[in-house]
Amino acid sequence: MSTHWRTFKIAAWLGWEMDSNWTEPWLFVVYSIVKPVAGAFILVLMYFVFWFLQGQDQAAFDYMYVGNAFFIFVASTLFGTFQVIQSDREWYQTIRYVYISPISYYTYILGRAASKVVVATFAVLVTLAFGTLFLGVHLDFALSEVPMFLASLALGIAVLLAIGICLGGISFLTAKHVHGLAEGIPGIFYVFCAVLYPLSVLPGWAQTIGRGIPLTYWFDITRRILSPTTGIDTTLEGYTDMGILGLLLVSTLVFFGLSVVIFRTGEYFARKAGKIDMTTSY
């Protein structure tokens, strides 16, 4: 256990150094603030288009804004886990040295992704604060909801890490050209997981897909906690908060089990084919 914790800490430190060493600390902080604010302005522009077509709807804007804010976790976490193998193998060509060291490479990837989660957390806080102070987003966060919120947040991030590890296991056997997979998968979640709009606006087959993705329930319970007065039909009203939390817990366990299987399978076939440290030369 101590070896895993030490591996996680060092990998997290390494990930942070790699993410932030391109500039001075103060400029990195400025960048970390400006980036989510710029994303919020893009969302405002999208809302103005909806407003022009359908009229002003503050509840719809709150719904869209909160979902988009927490989607930052999705993009950052999936990219942070998926790109570890790709970057170590293709860019830095250090994977052979890390892989043969007496550590768990699975834990190492989780540690490397931790810095992405930290930066994403800061970006989400900045986005929510900016929306509340300057865009009129209504948040109603009661202190009694803090345990539920923290539990759902932890489970949501855990599911994302597990999905990212699944993609990482696949990347053992793929060339560097599949780097866009870490962007394409979040795009699917963006469409089917009720990020900008409720499931009720999707056709039946798309709603079925959305209900099969655990992130849909994470976004829903997050909105229930932070913005419970939107009054929008999400098609998930039949689930209680504890029911959704239970679904997230089961999903986390299932996806972590699946991630171990896919990761070990990809690792096995990559070792067998001699592809662990094989770079893409075209």
Side-chain angles (χ1 to χ4, degrees):
M1 185 66 182
S2 60
T3 302
H4 285 283
W5 175 239
R6 184 170 63 251
T7 301
F8 181 85
K9 287 193 300 182
I10 295 175
W13 170 83
L14 176 62
W16 174 259
E17 290 295 318
M18 294 173 69
D19 287 340
S20 62
N21 72 348
W22 55 272
T23 186
E24 297 294 331
W26 67 268
L27 186 57
F28 183 74
V29 172
V30 172
Y31 166 79
S32 299
I33 295 174
V34 171
K35 183 179 178 181
V37 170
F41 277 120
I42 294 175
L43 193 65
V44 170
L45 180 61
M46 294 170 60
Y47 175 70
F48 276 139
V49 175
F50 298 149
W51 184 10
F52 178 77
L53 295 176
Q54 299 183 353
Q56 185 176 7
D57 188 344
Q58 183 63 43
F61 181 67
D62 294 346
Y63 183 97
M64 182 170 61
Y65 195 89
V66 172
N68 193 77
F70 279 84
F71 189 79
I72 295 173
F73 280 116
V74 178
S76 296
T77 305
L78 289 186
F79 182 79
T81 48
F82 175 81
Q83 61 90 33
V84 172
I85 295 175
Q86 292 278 318
S87 63
D88 283 2
R89 184 181 65 199
E90 304 285 350
W91 306 342
Y92 307 114
Q93 299 184 14
T94 57
I95 190 172
R96 70 185 66 179
Y97 310 112
V98 178
Y99 187 79
I100 64 175
S101 60
I103 63 172
S104 167
Y105 198 63
Y106 187 102
T107 305
Y108 168 79
I109 293 177
L110 291 178
R112 284 281 299 274
S115 64
K116 298 288 187 183
V117 174
V118 171
V119 173
T121 301
F122 182 72
V124 170
L125 292 175
V126 170
T127 302
L128 292 176
F130 182 80
T132 302
L133 295 175
F134 300 104
L135 301 178
V137 175
H138 300 299
L139 298 181
D140 186 12
F141 187 34
L143 290 178
S144 60
E145 298 285 358
V146 171
M148 179 71 72
F149 174 76
L150 293 179
S152 63
L153 179 63
L155 290 174
I157 293 175
V159 168
L160 288 172
L161 288 171
I163 296 174
I165 292 289
C166 291
L167 298 177
I170 296 173
S171 71
F172 269 126
L173 302 169
T174 57
K176 64 181 180 181
H177 312 302
V178 298
H179 190 69
L181 186 63
E183 299 174 355
I185 297 298
I188 295 175
F189 294 156
Y190 202 70
V191 173
F192 292 105
C193 291
V195 177
L196 295 181
Y197 41 76
L199 288 181
S200 57
V201 306
L202 296 175
W205 62 268
Q207 292 185 29
T208 302
I209 294 175
R211 292 193 188 97
I213 303 175
L215 298 182
T216 302
Y217 303 95
W218 179 42
F219 287 126
D220 187 74
I221 194 172
T222 299
R223 289 192 183 94
R224 291 187 187 188
I225 295 172
L226 295 182
S227 188
T229 59
T230 56
I232 294 177
D233 177 22
T234 64
T235 74
L236 299 176
E237 290 83 358
Y239 293 92
T240 64
D241 292 350
M242 291 304 298
I244 290 182
L245 204 62
L247 283 172
L248 283 175
L249 177 59
V250 172
S251 299
T252 300
L253 297 176
V254 170
F255 272 95
F256 259 111
L258 185 63
S259 71
V260 172
V261 172
I262 294 178
F263 183 83
R264 296 304 180 196
T265 302
E267 181 185 31
Y268 169 78
F269 284 108
R271 291 179 61 176
K272 190 174 182 179
K275 292 184 177 181
I276 290 290
D277 61 344
M278 182 182 293
T279 58
T280 305
S281 57
Y282 60 92

